[in-house]
Amino acid sequence: GLTIRSMRRQVLLCISVFFLSSIFGQVSYSINEEMSTASIVGNIAQDLGLDVNKLKSRNARIYSGDKREYIELNKDRGLLLIKERIDREGLCAQTTPCSLHFQIILENPIEFYSIIVEIIDVNDNPPTFEKSEIHFRISESAVTGSKFDLERAVDSDVGINGLQNYLLKPTDHFALKLHNQADGSKNVEMILQKPLDREKNEHMSLILTAVDGGEPQMSGTMQILITVLDANDNAPIFTQPVYKATVAENSPKNTVVTTVSASDADYGSNGRITYSIRNTLDDVRHMFEVNEDGDVKLIGNIDYEKARNYQINVRAIDDGGLTDSCKVIVDVMDVNDNKPLIKVMSKSNLVSEDVKSNTVVTIINIQDQDSDENGRVQCVINENIPFSLKSTTNNFYSLVTDSDLDRERASEYNITVTCSDEGVPSLSSSVTLTLQISDVNDNAPVFEKSSYEAYIVENNTPGLSIFTVKARDADWNQNARVSYILEDSSVNGVPVSSYVSVSADSGVIHAVRSFDYEQIKDFHFRVKAQDGGSPPLSSIASVKILIQDQNDNVPQVLYPVQTGGSLVAEIVPRSAEVGYLVTKVVAVDVDSGQNAWLSYKLQKATDRALFEVGLQNGEIRTVRQVTDKDAVKQRLTVVVEDNGQPSRSATVNVNVAVADSFPEVLSEFTDFTQDKEYNDNLTFYLVLALAVVSFLFITCLVVIISVKICRWRQSRILYQSNLPVIPYYPPRYSDTLGTGTLPHVCNYEVCRTTDSRKSDCKFGRAGSQNVLIMDPSSTGTMQRIQKVRPSPAAVGQCESVSQQTFNSTSHHLGILERERDRRKTHNSDSQVH
Ligand SMILES: *[C@@H]1O[C@H](CO)[C@@H](O)[C@H](O)[C@H]1NC(C)=O
């Protein structure tokens, strides 16, 4: 460069010389700007061809008008020196070339010399930006190629020292592009080369550097601050694709099941997430909701028994409409909230007492809607009952008998089945079955005693109830209905049925006849009690009837024998001592006990002072010495009396002859003829007998007539109503009639008559539904009630009863002996019949 510069100076010098020669001359210099003061610009004296002394003498000076003087003239050395530092940029700005013009004026003569000093640029200014930083806000969605205008830098230097280039750093996203303008300046643009991502890099800082071409190079920088604006370029993202949760059933509403969470990298509304449940087909939306915080809450009643899990599709959406979804799997936990349900499948609430052990009575089904332990059920029944519960198949139990049943011990069971599950706490429920045990005829009737003894006083009325046997049967109803049957046996060769009868349903034992203690003192028979079961069961009791004595016999005097007109006398010698045993009255009484305990008393005596009778033994003894004054013929009347209540007595006359020889006695006793007293008695009895016979005859007549009328009416009734009068008797009773047991209400109401041919025996009671009319002589009219006619034996029985009655009434009436004979004949008739 120096060489070029000096050449130019040479040229300029030549030109100046030429001008000087023509018009005073012109000199040019060129200097660098910013040279320090007193630096030499040029040797003007030499260049003008003037002597240094002349400069002084001619008063050379610089004239620059009103312009500022940067150059001064040193007259001593003939040099132009820098007076003031020259800044080219201040002097000329961008104008080139930049030069100072001034004149050097000389006097004597006045001469003008034009001086031109060219100022050469020096790189003393860096490029500068107006601002040290600029801001850009760029959306991250800006497309590549987008342009952003940058500010230009300014460099006051010119030429090569002026602004040459720009540099941008870093260059990850942006590149620099320069456009040359028409004025030679450069337009600077920044071009997006790579998409921005706010989510990665929200703020960026770039440095733009402007450089010039000087030596040394200078540069200026500016900071470019870029804020990346958000665009909704990110969808929400759930933290998990699947969430799992468990919730106990029956949890209260608003229980938070789980919390889902989604994040959105975007900013602001682009990152604002709302959650929603997207299930459409099921009822999840009635059961759950999700709030803005992602809490999945219960809003329904959750029931394990209805649904064991739920799949909830939750969607997250940002305000820009981008979405993500996840799945929430909610498992419902079982809670023991269901009681076991007991169903009795087969309800046979009647079971026979003779069922075998292990018989299934009923089947029970258990259901518990809960699961696992909560649904595992155990059942028990109450204790101390003869049943057990057996588990059969799943959830089925059978109730079986585990020992023998006995209706007589327990006729009903309340079986409580209690079932409880294994949940904590356990739930249970129970049902009570009432089981009836039906009866089986497994108990025989049992008599209160195995043997009975009963007493009856003789001379009883026939039909008298003696006593009652009683048997109990533990069974029920028909199986416990006891009937009593007299067992066939004989007493003294006579069937026992002619002695007693047993009322079939009451067990009352009746005497069929009047008993005579003197004939029979006791007898045995057996009564069977039989129940109405099928087959019937029975048991037997033995009965002993003891007949009690009644004082019904007068004492009978055996000695002395009482003959009508015989003259028997005891002879007492006159020499008899006191206490001489004359005779002994001997009497017997067929009764027994007290009734036969006899005592003897002297009732009448010719001489009371002479004899006495031993009270107990009937011995007649003398009381005093017999004297000659005592009559030969002595007559004593001795009363023999038994000890019965009332007592009965007999009298006996004892003739005593007080004599020493038999002829004496004979003479005395010739007038012992018929006793007047005896005759009087006989007359009285005859009259009485006649009266009785008459009365009986009239009575018979009345009875016969009334019976005839009665029978006529009866037959009319039977024919008019075509319904037979059939009283009810259970079939098994029919044979009891044969053994002489009387049917239910056979009363002996009328059983006496004098006329055997017309004898009527009427059983039954007016108003009773069992009517039994018995008339052997009118079989024609009785055909319709044949069934209920008692057997001939019964008729005979009745007859014999009347016989007995008659006997007893006629006991003392020996006079009616003929009548009795007739009856006996009839009796055999009716038995034949
Ligand atoms: C069974 O229960 C019923 C009704 O509670 C009651 O009347 C009856 O006496 C009970 N039976 C037994 C044997 O406990």
Side-chain angles (χ1 to χ4, degrees):
L2 261 174
T3 47
I4 293 169
R5 212 174 278 173
S6 60
M7 272 177 65
R8 240 164 68 184
R9 198 179 292 170
Q10 300 291 316
V11 170
L12 282 172
L13 206 59
C14 293
I15 294 166
S16 309
V17 172
F18 172 75
F19 272 108
L20 278 174
S21 52
S22 54
I23 47 155
F24 310 113
Q26 185 177 19
V27 179
S28 296
Y29 298 98
S30 64
I31 56 167
N32 283 340
E33 62 173 330
E34 305 287 347
M35 290 179 73
S36 54
T37 45
S39 300
I40 298 166
V41 177
N43 192 340
I44 191 69
Q46 190 185 339
D47 291 337
L48 292 177
L50 294 172
D51 194 344
V52 179
N53 299 324
K54 281 204 174 158
L55 289 175
K56 272 185 187 167
S57 59
R58 292 183 68 186
N59 194 23
R61 63 178 190 276
I62 287 175
Y63 173 74
S64 57
D66 55 351
K67 286 184 198 165
R68 195 159 167 188
E69 289 183 7
Y70 291 99
I71 307 281
E72 64 175 356
L73 179 64
N74 189 331
K75 287 181 243 179
D76 297 330
R77 292 166 61 193
L79 296 174
L80 285 174
L81 298 177
I82 300 292
K83 185 185 176 190
E84 194 180 342
R85 194 181 192 97
I86 302 165
D87 180 21
R88 191 203 69 83
E89 285 76 24
L91 205 62
C92 306
Q94 292 296 307
T95 314
T96 51
C98 177
S99 47
L100 291 170
H101 296 261
F102 60 91
Q103 281 84 37
I104 294 180
I105 300 170
L106 298 172
E107 295 175 4
N108 291 328
I110 297 175
E111 286 174 359
F112 284 84
Y113 297 94
S114 268
I115 306 296
I116 298 169
V117 177
E118 185 190 357
I119 311 297
I120 297 167
D121 185 39
V122 166
N123 192 23
D124 60 346
N125 288 295
T128 53
F129 291 96
E130 190 187 354
K131 299 177 189 164
S132 65
E133 58 177 37
I134 55 170
H135 283 269
F136 284 101
R137 297 165 66 85
I138 306 171
S139 167
E140 61 178 326
S141 63
V143 294
T144 52
S146 300
K147 295 176 187 170
F148 303 92
D149 213 15
L150 299 178
E151 258 180 64
R152 281 177 280 179
V154 176
D155 195 330
S156 328
D157 296 325
V158 295
I160 193 80
N161 292 330
L163 182 65
Q164 295 297 313
N165 206 358
Y166 292 93
L167 296 169
L168 186 66
K169 278 188 180 165
T171 54
D172 331 356
H173 291 276
F174 294 95
L176 213 52
K177 188 171 182 188
L178 307 176
H179 293 277
N180 290 318
Q181 298 289 95
D183 61 352
S185 65
K186 286 178 174 156
N187 213 353
V188 187
E189 278 178 345
M190 191 168 68
I191 294 173
L192 183 66
Q193 289 200 306
K194 196 174 140 195
L196 295 173
D197 188 357
R198 187 199 66 83
E199 287 72 35
K200 271 190 203 152
N201 210 347
E202 188 174 0
H203 299 283
M204 286 191 282
S205 168
L206 287 80
I207 304 291
L208 181 66
T209 308
V211 292
D212 57 21
E215 192 73 39
Q217 194 176 46
M218 299 188 82
S219 64
T221 60
M222 178 175 70
Q223 195 171 25
I224 303 170
L225 293 174
I226 298 172
T227 301
V228 181
L229 297 180
D230 187 51
N232 192 25
D233 58 345
N234 287 286
I237 296 170
F238 277 103
T239 54
Q240 293 169 234
V242 175
Y243 294 83
K244 290 199 172 177
T246 52
V247 63
E249 64 172 328
N250 304 330
S251 291
K253 291 183 183 177
N254 284 326
T255 300
V256 175
V257 176
T258 186
T259 302
V260 296
S261 168
S263 59
D264 192 311
D266 293 326
Y267 176 78
S269 67
N270 291 333
R272 191 155 53 222
I273 297 173
T274 47
Y275 300 95
S276 58
I277 291 176
R278 306 308 300 170
N279 296 53
T280 50
L281 296 176
D282 44 28
D283 62 347
V284 164
R285 282 210 271 189
H286 300 121
M287 202 61 86
F288 300 97
E289 69 172 14
V290 60
N291 66 5
E292 67 269 21
D293 298 326
D295 295 333
V296 178
K297 285 184 185 176
L298 265 184
I299 54 167
N301 297 319
I302 198 152
D303 187 357
Y304 178 82
E305 282 72 41
K306 285 187 188 151
R308 298 187 172 196
N309 58 46
Y310 291 92
Q311 289 203 358
I312 310 171
N313 297 319
V314 179
R315 185 169 82 175
I317 184 167
D318 63 21
D319 284 2
L322 298 177
T323 63
D324 188 20
S325 61
C326 72
K327 192 162 275 188
V328 180
I329 296 174
V330 179
D331 285 323
V332 183
M333 279 192 304
D334 187 36
V335 167
N336 194 19
D337 60 344
N338 288 288
K339 283 183 178 182
L341 211 66
I342 305 173
K343 275 189 197 159
V344 180
M345 305 290 284
S346 54
K347 214 177 209 170
S348 68
N349 43 19
L350 194 64
V351 90
S352 174
E353 63 175 320
D354 65 349
V355 294
K356 292 194 177 64
S357 187
N358 261 334
T359 302
V360 175
V361 175
T362 187
I363 292 192
I364 291 164
N365 175 232
I366 316 296
Q367 284 169 358
D368 191 318
Q369 292 187 4
D370 295 322
S371 53
D372 298 334
E373 293 87 59
N374 296 338
R376 261 205 293 280
V377 177
Q378 299 292 335
C379 292
V380 291
I381 54 171
N382 43 332
E383 288 174 356
N384 302 326
I385 55 170
F387 299 93
S388 59
L389 205 57
K390 284 191 178 165
S391 172
T392 50
T393 53
N394 212 11
N395 296 334
F396 282 92
Y397 284 88
S398 49
L399 183 67
V400 298
T401 57
D402 70 354
S403 61
D404 292 334
L405 301 176
D406 186 4
R407 190 204 62 83
E408 287 71 38
R409 205 155 23 88
S411 64
E412 184 187 74
Y413 289 98
N414 286 338
I415 304 167
T416 304
V417 181
T418 306
C419 295
S420 43
D421 58 30
E422 292 175 9
V424 178
S426 168
L427 294 176
S428 67
S429 54
S430 64
V431 293
T432 298
L433 308 170
T434 300
L435 197 67
Q436 307 281 349
I437 310 300
S438 68
D439 189 43
V440 166
N441 192 23
D442 54 355
N443 287 285
V446 177
F447 278 103
E448 287 167 339
K449 296 195 248 172
S450 63
S451 64
Y452 291 87
E453 259 185 21
Y455 298 89
I456 183 168
V457 178
E458 63 174 331
N459 304 322
N460 57 296
T461 51
L464 181 77
S465 69
I466 304 170
F467 83 113
T468 305
V469 292
K470 187 87 195 150
R472 299 194 186 283
D473 193 307
D475 292 322
W476 183 74
N477 208 3
Q478 190 72 15
N479 291 337
R481 184 180 290 173
V482 179
S483 46
Y484 302 93
I485 299 158
L486 183 64
E487 280 223 321
D488 237 347
S489 62
S490 62
V491 176
N492 297 340
V494 180
V496 71
S497 57
S498 63
Y499 283 89
V500 286
S501 67
V502 177
S503 172
D505 53 8
S506 65
V508 176
I509 293 175
H510 294 274
V512 170
R513 60 164 68 172
S514 180
F515 297 110
D516 184 1
Y517 177 79
E518 285 69 38
Q519 283 173 18
I520 182 165
K521 297 203 166 29
D522 56 38
F523 59 96
H524 296 264
F525 59 91
R526 304 209 298 172
V527 176
K528 183 161 85 171
Q530 178 172 297
D531 62 26
S534 171
L537 297 173
S538 62
S539 61
I540 281 179
S542 66
V543 180
K544 183 179 188 181
I545 302 283
L546 296 155
I547 294 149
Q548 287 182 321
D549 187 41
Q550 221 178 18
N551 195 19
D552 58 344
N553 289 288
V554 292
Q556 282 175 355
V557 179
L558 302 178
Y559 186 86
V561 178
Q562 299 291 297
T563 52
S566 69
L567 294 169
V568 177
E570 307 294 333
I571 297 169
V572 176
R574 291 198 183 269
S575 57
E577 296 289 313
V578 174
Y580 175 82
L581 176 63
V582 180
T583 187
K584 180 178 164 85
V585 176
V586 178
V588 292
D589 193 316
V590 292
D591 293 326
S592 56
Q594 295 280 325
N595 295 335
W597 189 0
L598 299 180
S599 57
Y600 304 85
K601 278 176 201 153
L602 191 59
Q603 191 185 41
K604 260 198 274 178
T606 314
D607 184 354
R608 273 195 165 273
L610 189 53
F611 301 102
E612 64 165 13
V613 177
L615 185 65
Q616 305 296 336
N617 53 19
E619 287 173 355
I620 299 173
R621 289 174 188 272
T622 56
V623 182
R624 62 172 167 82
Q625 187 72 48
V626 180
T627 64
D628 291 343
K629 278 182 262 173
D630 293 324
V632 174
K633 200 169 70 177
Q634 295 281 343
R635 189 183 177 90
L636 307 174
T637 304
V638 175
V639 178
V640 183
E641 203 175 44
D642 62 25
N643 203 25
Q645 278 296 335
S647 70
R648 289 173 177 271
S649 60
T651 55
V652 59
N653 294 315
V654 179
N655 294 321
V656 178
V658 180
D660 285 330
S661 64
F662 187 66
E664 188 184 355
V665 176
L666 267 183
S667 63
E668 280 297 321
F669 274 84
T670 41
D671 60 336
F672 260 156
T673 50
Q674 297 262 314
D675 203 304
K676 193 166 177 273
E677 198 180 329
Y678 175 76
N679 287 341
D680 287 351
N681 276 349
L682 190 65
T683 314
F684 169 72
Y685 284 131
L686 281 172
V687 171
L688 185 67
L690 199 66
V692 167
V693 168
S694 309
F695 172 73
L696 288 177
F697 177 73
I698 291 164
T699 308
C700 272
L701 219 61
V702 169
V703 167
I704 289 162
I705 290 165
S706 56
V707 164
K708 282 288 180 192
I709 292 167
C710 214
R711 191 179 302 155
W712 175 76
R713 259 193 208 161
Q714 188 70 42
S715 64
R716 294 262 308 183
I717 291 164
L718 286 171
Y719 278 106
Q720 273 169 7
S721 68
N722 282 327
L723 298 164
V725 179
I726 301 172
Y728 165 70
Y729 288 113
R732 62 192 151 71
Y733 291 172
S734 59
D735 65 334
T736 65
L737 291 170
T739 62
T741 302
L742 287 180
H744 304 239
V745 280
C746 180
N747 280 9
Y748 298 80
E749 204 166 77
V750 177
C751 244
R752 61 197 141 76
T753 181
T754 49
D755 190 346
S756 61
R757 300 263 169 226
K758 304 289 180 189
S759 85
D760 284 345
C761 205
K762 195 165 83 189
F763 293 86
R765 188 184 296 159
S768 160
Q769 72 176 59
N770 291 337
V771 177
L772 182 61
I773 298 164
M774 195 175 78
D775 185 5
S777 66
S778 58
T779 50
T781 56
M782 295 298 285
Q783 270 167 356
R784 282 174 179 252
I785 52 170
Q786 204 114 40
K787 272 188 178 172
V788 299
R789 248 174 55 194
S791 65
V795 177
Q797 201 180 79
C798 184
E799 288 301 329
S800 69
V801 168
S802 57
Q803 169 82 49
Q804 277 289 320
T805 316
F806 187 84
N807 281 352
S808 60
T809 54
S810 64
H811 186 74
H812 301 290
L813 306 179
I815 202 156
L816 297 178
E817 205 121 31
R818 271 177 61 222
E819 192 66 33
R820 190 193 294 182
D821 289 341
R822 269 215 299 154
R823 287 198 50 79
K824 267 181 182 161
T825 322
H826 167 64
N827 201 5
S828 54
D829 275 357
S830 60
Q831 288 203 343
V832 167
H833 171 79

